[in-house]
Amino acid sequence: MPACCGGGGSEQAPGMRAVMLTWFLSLGLAAPPTVRIVHSGLACNIEEERYSERVYTIREGETLELTCLVTGHPRPQIRWTKTAGSASDRFQDSSVFNETLRISNIQRHQGGRYYCKAENGLGSPAIKSIRVDVYYLDDPIVTVHQSIGEAKEQFYYERTVFLRCVANSNPPVRYSWRRGQEVLLQGSDKGVEIYEPFFTQGETKILKLKNLRPQDYANYSCIASVRNVCSIPDKMVSFRLSNKTASPSIKLLVDDPIVVNPGEAITLVCVTTGGEPTPSLTWVRSAGVLPEKTVLNGGTLTIPAITSEDAGTYSCIANNNVGNPAKKSTNIIVRALKKGRFWITPDPYHKDDNIQIGREVKISCQVEAIPSEAFSWFKNGRPLRSSERMVITQTDPDVSPGTTNLDIIDLKFTDFGTYTCVASLKGGGISDISIDVNISSSTDPPAVEPTFLEIRQGQGRSITMSCRVLRAYPTRVLTYEWRLGSKLLRTGQFDVQDSTEYTVSSLSRDSYGIYNCNIINEAGAGRCSFLVTGKAYAPEFYYDTYNPLWQNRPRVYSYSLQWTQMNPDAVDRILAYRLGIRQAGQQRWWEQEITVNGNIQKGELITYNLTELIKPEAYEVRLTPITRFGEGDSTIRVIKYSAPVNPHLREFHCGFEDGNICLFTQDDTDNFDWTKQSTATRDTKYTPNTGPNADRTGSKEGFYMYIETSRPRLEGEKARLVSPVFSVAPKNPYGATNTAYCFSFYYHMYGQHIGSLNVYLRLKGQTAIENPLWSSSGNKGQHWNQARVNINPPTSFQLIFEGIRGPGIEGDIAIDDVSIVEGECMKSDQPANNLRSGAVGTLAHIRLIPVIILMSVLCHQR
């Protein structure tokens, strides 16, 4: 089906959408969008809030699944967004444009308010939101502190100690304390106080031991609880307080700073000198994470083959949750020279400045160096020393670090030449950086724009070409000339303007070609070139055609080729297209002309059907526009055969001829599978007296699906074949009657041991419920029979064919030519004895994801 008929979540051109809305409104079918949010997945709790919002509570690590149910005609477009607090962000996930938003392994930062927005161009967009609350509980941490006035290296008697318990959680955590097995409560022990400081808002519980007693040296446990919400269990941490408990102290066995060359290995050693319990040692870097190549072994850090990026401050931190962590740092300096640059005063590249004899010239040279560098100056390769006319200075490091200056006083002709500044580091090991600066009485040829521009225009029309000067020195002698090929058109001289123009009032065949505008001074010339042509622009192939295989037969296929014309009126009206096609890998092109009637509009989608293409070959297609002035630019694409993603919109036919069996799949819950087979390819040891001798059309080569009931199959075992998902359009809010559909198929049940063939309808969201549509059992003879059933599903659905093995091996059952056609089945062909009363009732249009049925009438095909 052409892409202009696409629906669902696909995007459409604004012009096409406006036409569609006008058409729907004229039929009284249009309806503004409505939306509501439903959930599935692992929610702890769902509760209503004011303003019709809902709170969705979920445990961290579970799967969040929200579905946005929309109505409206045309089908609204859907977008999910998230707002956290006052900051709004669009999360990067392909699901934001789908009906269902699914977040696996949800984390606490993903909580917040989620919005579903639906719009179809009618009225205001419909928006609903739901707040997602993520519950979690981290492991608690106990830290020990002494009162500030009494802090010593160890916790002696007559000292006050604080045990602080902290755990991150949502909802807020509740704490309890134990000493050994004894539960500590406020007031249960005069030497113990339990309180929550005001500033912690209840998130921290502190156990205060006043004037330590012998019985206070014990094991303490802090239990953090969120009262089992979302089945989150309590968590506990223990700490043993003794008279040896002490905060950590450490020592670094390295210098500060450490200066190394790139490529060297550096080792930092950190040792503990005190602390009970034994502190843990970690290394951190002030400017981000440790280098990936870092090797850690306890308190020893090794960086092999160090680089400039590894430089910085490294800190060793000791922590045992007693008092404050101990921290010692050292600075690693990696010697380097990089990013040399220079500038000249006055600036010879500025249009108002130039280097003149008798003036002062200053050359500045700057290099990024670690640590500070030493500079040397050379002229034409010979060393320079500071003198009265050649003054060498260093700029204040606070103003411009790493900068040296060479001032040339009263510039003379003999001062012209190449000056070099060289930066080097003491100690060697690092290559020097040298910067060459040439001082001369040079000129600058003109720089112009555009250097090249293509102009397409039809005969009889006018064009104007403009060439602009960007810079040139000297500017006082600046001339221009316009040429077509070698023919001189016009010359002139610049006064105050910075551009020149040339106009062709009426293009003809002789005025097409390359126009050059040369802008000249004594240093040289700059050139603007213009290619003026009457060729039409190339067409642009459209690659988003929905189901381009509009005709799909056993050996050949047809392809809907679609394209738009770039700038259709830029040159002249497109009269026709020359279509070339060849099989991939071949040399010869087969060509034909496609006549165009009328004018092509900008953005108009043009369709041409390529027929009788051989499966599964790919083809190159070349398309060339033709005007009265000749052929335009061509464009080429490759088309490939692939089975349709979804069946046809208005009707679905499946003869099981393709390798993907029309997207039918085997049910994982059955006992065995259906088999694709043709009489010509079946096993020579097949069971006689059962199964078909040809497909439904009588062809020995045609395929069908069947169940093989030979051993090891047992009586009562099931094989289930599941169709692709079909979708139905939403119910018309204005009560218009929807269309029923006729579901039909052919079945073959021949053999003395035939079991049963059942057909079920499975609705979206009701995977555990299958509605019986049709059933038949027993021997029906050696011929194909047709079954037809009216189906009226109210939502997306699948069809399931269930074959049940009978009492013996002569029980093969086959099906072929499954179809769904718009309109009710003819009553004379509808076997009433097989139609189950359990079929779903409300009428609806069938559509195939994501295409809206009524949009098919809007397709435009040239």
Side-chain angles (χ1 to χ4, degrees), residues 247-250 281 316-320 322 324-328:
S247 58
S249 59
I250 56 174
L281 298 176
C316 176
I317 299 175
N319 189 17
N320 63 353
V322 179
N324 295 320
K327 180 178 179 180
K328 295 286 185 179

Side-chain angles (χ1 to χ4, degrees), residues 27-54:
L27 296 181
L29 299 178
T34 64
V35 62
R36 65 188 182 95
I37 299 175
V38 298
H39 74 91
S40 57
L42 303 172
C44 302
N45 186 35
I46 300 292
E47 60 184 48
E48 297 292 337
E49 277 192 344
R50 292 181 299 173
Y51 313 116
S52 301
E53 290 187 324
R54 309 179 74 190

Side-chain angles (χ1 to χ4, degrees), residues 661-707:
I661 59 173
C662 310
L663 302 180
F664 276 79
T665 56
Q666 307 285 353
D667 194 334
D668 294 335
T669 64
D670 57 9
N671 306 111
F672 65 107
D673 289 343
W674 287 79
T675 304
K676 176 182 175 181
Q677 181 174 274
S678 69
T679 305
T681 60
R682 68 181 176 185
D683 194 327
T684 56
K685 298 180 180 180
Y686 69 91
T687 305
N689 302 321
T690 188
N693 292 325
D695 76 349
R696 198 276 303 176
T697 66
S699 170
K700 299 289 187 181
E701 288 78 21
F703 287 93
Y704 51 86
M705 300 296 291
Y706 87 108
I707 62 169

Side-chain angles (χ1 to χ4, degrees), residues 74-234:
R75 174 74 172 173
Q77 295 179 345
I78 298 172
R79 177 186 290 269
W80 283 95
T81 57
K82 173 179 177 268
T83 300
S86 61
S88 177
D89 65 289
R90 288 180 178 173
F91 38 93
Q92 299 299 316
D93 191 294
S94 61
S95 66
V96 298
F97 295 106
N98 295 334
E99 294 181 357
T100 300
L101 173 67
R102 189 174 190 274
I103 303 177
S104 301
N105 190 27
I106 191 169
Q107 300 300 304
R108 61 194 66 175
H109 69 274
Q110 292 174 301
R113 196 174 308 280
Y114 288 81
Y115 291 85
C116 175
K117 177 180 179 182
E119 55 184 338
N120 63 357
L122 294 177
S124 301
I127 302 175
K128 285 293 183 181
S129 67
I130 187 169
R131 197 181 80 227
V132 176
D133 204 2
V134 182
Y135 279 7
Y136 59 90
L137 174 61
D138 291 344
D139 292 331
I141 298 174
V142 168
T143 56
V144 182
H145 303 271
Q146 221 174 354
S147 56
I148 296 176
E150 302 169 339
K152 302 293 182 182
E153 290 187 356
Q154 294 182 331
F155 293 85
Y156 297 106
Y157 294 115
E158 304 300 327
R159 299 290 185 263
T160 298
V161 173
F162 300 89
L163 276 69
R164 176 174 296 167
C165 188
V166 180
N168 295 322
S169 71
N170 183 29
V173 71
R174 295 296 176 88
Y175 302 92
S176 58
W177 287 94
R178 293 180 185 173
R179 180 167 54 199
Q181 298 300 318
E182 175 190 3
V183 177
L184 296 176
L185 301 173
Q186 182 66 30
S188 62
D189 187 329
K190 293 182 179 180
V192 176
E193 287 186 11
I194 303 174
Y195 62 95
E196 297 173 350
F198 173 74
F199 61 86
T200 63
Q201 299 181 354
E203 296 182 358
T204 303
K205 194 114 180 181
I206 295 179
L207 182 69
K208 180 180 179 181
L209 305 176
K210 300 179 295 186
N211 297 326
L212 284 177
R213 304 161 300 177
Q215 62 265 34
D216 292 330
Y217 294 112
N219 284 326
Y220 290 85
S221 298
C222 172
I223 299 94
S225 173
V226 291
R227 301 163 297 286
N228 203 38
V229 296
C230 283
S231 301
I232 299 176
D234 296 348

Side-chain angles (χ1 to χ4, degrees), residues 277-591:
T278 302
S280 61
L281 298 176
T282 56
W283 281 95
V284 296
R285 185 182 178 191
S286 60
V289 298
L290 295 174
E292 292 184 1
K293 57 192 173 185
T294 302
V295 179
L296 293 172
N297 183 13
T300 302
L301 177 147
T302 301
I303 305 175
I306 199 166
T307 65
S308 298
E309 289 73 19
D310 303 329
T313 301
Y314 289 73
S315 301
C316 176
I317 299 175
N319 189 17
N320 63 353
N321 291 339
V322 179
N324 295 320
K327 180 178 179 180
K328 295 286 185 179
S329 302
T330 186
N331 188 32
I332 298 179
I333 300 174
V334 181
R335 303 170 75 242
L337 284 173
K338 56 184 178 179
K339 293 184 179 179
R341 69 186 189 97
F342 77 92
W343 61 94
I344 303 174
T345 308
D347 185 355
Y349 298 103
H350 193 276
K351 65 180 180 180
D352 296 329
D353 288 339
N354 53 74
I355 297 175
Q356 298 178 0
I357 300 296
R359 292 188 59 177
E360 178 180 346
V361 176
K362 181 178 182 179
I363 307 173
S364 300
C365 176
Q366 185 180 54
V367 174
E368 291 186 16
I370 303 174
S372 59
E373 71 292 332
F375 282 105
S376 303
W377 281 95
F378 298 82
K379 177 188 176 185
N380 296 330
R382 295 182 178 181
L384 272 181
R385 290 184 174 84
S386 187
S387 64
E388 290 184 0
R389 278 202 332 106
M390 298 280 184
V391 181
I392 299 173
T393 59
Q394 298 282 125
T395 302
D396 187 344
D398 295 332
V399 176
S400 181
T403 302
T404 180
N405 307 296
L406 173 63
D407 283 277
I408 305 175
I409 311 299
D410 186 17
L411 182 69
K412 300 180 182 299
F413 180 79
T414 55
D415 294 329
F416 292 150
T418 300
Y419 291 82
T420 305
C421 86
V422 178
S424 58
L425 292 177
K426 299 176 182 179
I430 303 297
S431 299
D432 296 344
I433 286 183
S434 62
I435 301 173
D436 293 335
V437 183
N438 187 52
I439 301 297
S440 64
S441 179
S442 62
T443 56
D444 188 4
V448 297
E449 70 172 6
T451 56
F452 179 81
L453 180 65
E454 182 181 14
I455 301 176
R456 301 194 186 212
Q457 189 59 273
Q459 294 183 24
R461 301 180 184 178
S462 66
I463 61 167
T464 297
M465 296 163 281
S466 177
C467 183
R468 188 168 74 92
V469 180
L470 298 177
R471 64 177 181 272
Y473 182 80
T475 59
R476 62 183 180 274
V477 184
L478 207 57
T479 61
Y480 65 84
E481 62 179 26
W482 282 91
R483 292 179 179 270
L484 173 58
S486 60
K487 179 182 178 182
L488 181 63
L489 302 175
R490 194 176 79 204
T491 62
Q493 184 169 329
F494 284 90
D495 294 325
V496 294
Q497 77 274 23
D498 64 354
S499 65
T500 175
E501 293 183 347
Y502 186 80
T503 299
V504 181
S505 59
S506 180
L507 283 170
S508 64
R509 289 186 180 273
D510 295 336
S511 55
Y512 288 132
I514 297 178
Y515 290 77
N516 290 318
C517 175
N518 299 312
I519 298 179
I520 308 160
N521 68 2
E522 61 188 56
R527 172 175 290 181
C528 298
S529 294
F530 302 87
L531 173 61
V532 180
T533 176
K535 295 177 66 175
Y537 285 93
E540 296 180 318
F541 282 115
Y542 185 71
Y543 288 88
D544 295 330
T545 305
Y546 178 76
N547 197 16
L549 296 176
W550 62 274
Q551 190 179 59
N552 193 13
R553 303 208 303 267
R555 294 179 179 83
V556 298
Y557 66 99
S558 298
Y559 196 93
S560 290
L561 187 70
Q562 294 187 305
W563 69 91
T564 58
Q565 178 61 45
M566 184 191 308
N567 300 325
D569 297 324
V571 178
D572 198 61
R573 187 175 77 84
I574 307 294
L575 302 176
Y577 287 94
R578 177 166 287 111
L579 172 70
I581 185 169
R582 67 182 178 187
Q583 203 172 103
Q586 301 296 318
Q587 297 297 320
R588 183 177 179 183
W589 289 92
W590 296 93
E591 293 187 333

